[in-house]
Amino acid sequence: MAEVEKSKGTADYAPTIVTPVMDDTNTNNNNASREDGSGSTAVHNTPTYPHRKLSGGEDEDVEKQAEMELSNSPPFEWDKGVWAWSTVFGAWCILFATFGMTNAYGVYQDYYVRTYLSTYTPSSIGWIGSIQIFFQFSMGFFAGKLFDAGHFYPMMVVACAFYAFCYFMLSLAKEQQYYQVFLAQGIGAGIALGFLFLPAISVISHHFKRYRAFAMGIVVSGSSCGGIVFPIMLNKLIEKHGFPTATRAVAATAAGLMALALVTMRTRVPPKPTTPAPAPTSSDEKAPAKPAGPPMPTIKELVSDLPYMLTIAAAF
């Protein structure tokens, strides 16, 4: 950029084009002044570089520019949008297919005691449902860490597929084979439930703030609706078509609902950082630092969390 230089003591002066020289001395200071031999002064406006070590005036310019960019960024809108309410619908489908099936365990237990596992005591059969509920909550140790790390979609896809697989395997279990029913419905389906329940509830906080309780109420109502539909469905189908066909029918219904949930659910908040921000080097000491955020809790910290452990014990 050319500058116009005016000589002192001259009434009629001719404009002189001065070409600025960019060297290491000039680039360290913004709006630096240089005097030549004739006593004239030329002002050079050098660009600011946020990644370099800046002077006091340039540091203020960088901070103002960062504030301006932040103010011009689009606002983070809560409680509205198509994806927000579609996520509520998807979470409702997950609760319908998971907790709704859990609420229908009374139908399974009655059938097991009377027919399918009649050689076993009701106490032994009751352990199937108890273990399923235990895994549904205790898997929050791992599901919570995966959700915070940003692995929502892979976790949900694998858990949905495994949940449907376990109930299809339950339909193949033989009569009086307790271990087959226990593995498929108690352990397998319980672990899958644990990786589905917590993320489906937690993802609502990505979209709702003021109406979060209202959205949560809609999502949780899915378990009540499933607890109405699945028992009626199982009773009618077992009576007409037998246990294997009835179990496959409810498994296919749950699989369809979970597939619909995977299409409609979306996350919005970026994952929490797991490592602190790198230390600034000598070239960017004055650059604005970004907060690293709190680290994710470890498994040891979760196990030593007394309120959480009491909640797990009460659920068991």
Side-chain angles (χ1 to χ4, degrees):
M1 178 178 179
E3 300 289 338
V4 178
E5 181 183 34
K6 180 178 180 181
S7 301
K8 296 180 179 179
T10 305
D12 298 329
Y13 68 94
T16 304
I17 305 300
V18 180
T19 303
V21 179
M22 299 291 292
D23 56 13
D24 293 337
T25 304
N26 291 333
T27 56
N28 286 334
N29 297 303
N30 191 27
N31 298 330
S33 299
R34 181 174 61 86
E35 292 187 0
D36 56 11
S38 62
S40 60
T41 302
V43 179
H44 300 274
N45 293 321
T46 59
T48 60
Y49 300 93
H51 62 278
R52 298 183 305 157
K53 187 175 181 180
L54 307 176
S55 63
E58 288 183 341
D59 199 13
E60 293 177 0
D61 294 340
V62 172
E63 291 179 359
K64 291 179 180 178
Q65 183 179 1
E67 292 177 358
M68 185 178 299
E69 292 177 356
L70 191 61
S71 62
N72 292 334
S73 61
F76 195 78
E77 296 183 346
W78 296 92
D79 308 304
K80 62 176 63 175
V82 175
W83 286 118
W85 292 107
S86 68
T87 301
V88 171
F89 174 72
W92 182 90
C93 292
I94 293 291
L95 268 292
F96 188 103
T98 55
F99 248 115
M101 191 77 80
T102 303
N103 292 335
Y105 180 73
V107 177
Y108 280 108
Q109 179 156 350
D110 178 68
Y111 185 74
Y112 293 157
V113 170
R114 290 187 296 106
T115 305
Y116 217 65
L117 299 174
S118 58
T119 59
Y120 295 89
T121 64
S123 177
S124 300
I125 295 172
W127 273 100
I128 299 173
S130 299
I131 290 297
Q132 186 184 68
I133 291 292
F134 169 75
F135 279 117
Q136 183 169 352
F137 287 94
S138 61
M139 287 298 103
F141 285 147
F142 311 102
K145 290 182 72 69
L146 290 173
F147 180 82
D148 290 339
H151 303 300
F152 173 79
Y153 294 110
M155 176 173 55
M156 293 295 288
V157 170
V158 173
C160 288
F162 186 59
Y163 181 78
F165 171 78
C166 288
Y167 270 95
F168 279 113
M169 290 298 101
L170 177 62
S171 68
L172 301 178
K174 304 299 182 182
E175 288 191 33
Q176 311 306 327
Q177 297 298 319
Y178 179 84
Y179 77 95
Q180 295 180 2
V181 178
F182 186 83
L183 287 176
Q185 191 172 15
I187 296 179
I191 292 174
L193 283 171
F195 284 97
L196 289 171
F197 169 66
L198 180 64
I201 294 293
S202 301
V203 75
I204 301 301
S205 62
H206 283 206
H207 299 273
F208 291 90
K209 188 174 183 180
R210 182 179 179 183
Y211 301 112
R212 186 175 298 173
F214 176 71
M216 288 286 190
I218 296 175
V219 172
V220 173
S221 69
S223 62
S224 302
C225 295
I228 296 172
V229 173
F230 283 128
I232 298 173
M233 187 175 178
L234 282 170
N235 278 320
K236 298 296 184 181
L237 290 176
I238 289 175
E239 181 181 352
K240 293 182 179 180
H241 303 286
F243 176 80
T245 302
T247 302
R248 281 191 286 268
V250 295
T253 303
L257 289 170
M258 290 186 293
L260 190 60
L262 294 176
V263 174
T264 57
M265 297 175 73
R266 291 290 184 274
T267 58
R268 192 168 65 163
V269 178
K272 294 181 180 179
T274 57
T275 56
T281 59
S282 58
S283 61
D284 57 358
E285 288 179 349
K286 297 294 183 67
K290 296 181 179 180
M296 290 193 302
T298 62
I299 296 296
K300 182 179 179 181
E301 292 172 343
L302 290 174
V303 173
S304 60
D305 188 350
L306 182 60
Y308 180 74
M309 292 305 297
L310 290 176
T311 302
I312 297 298
F316 179 75

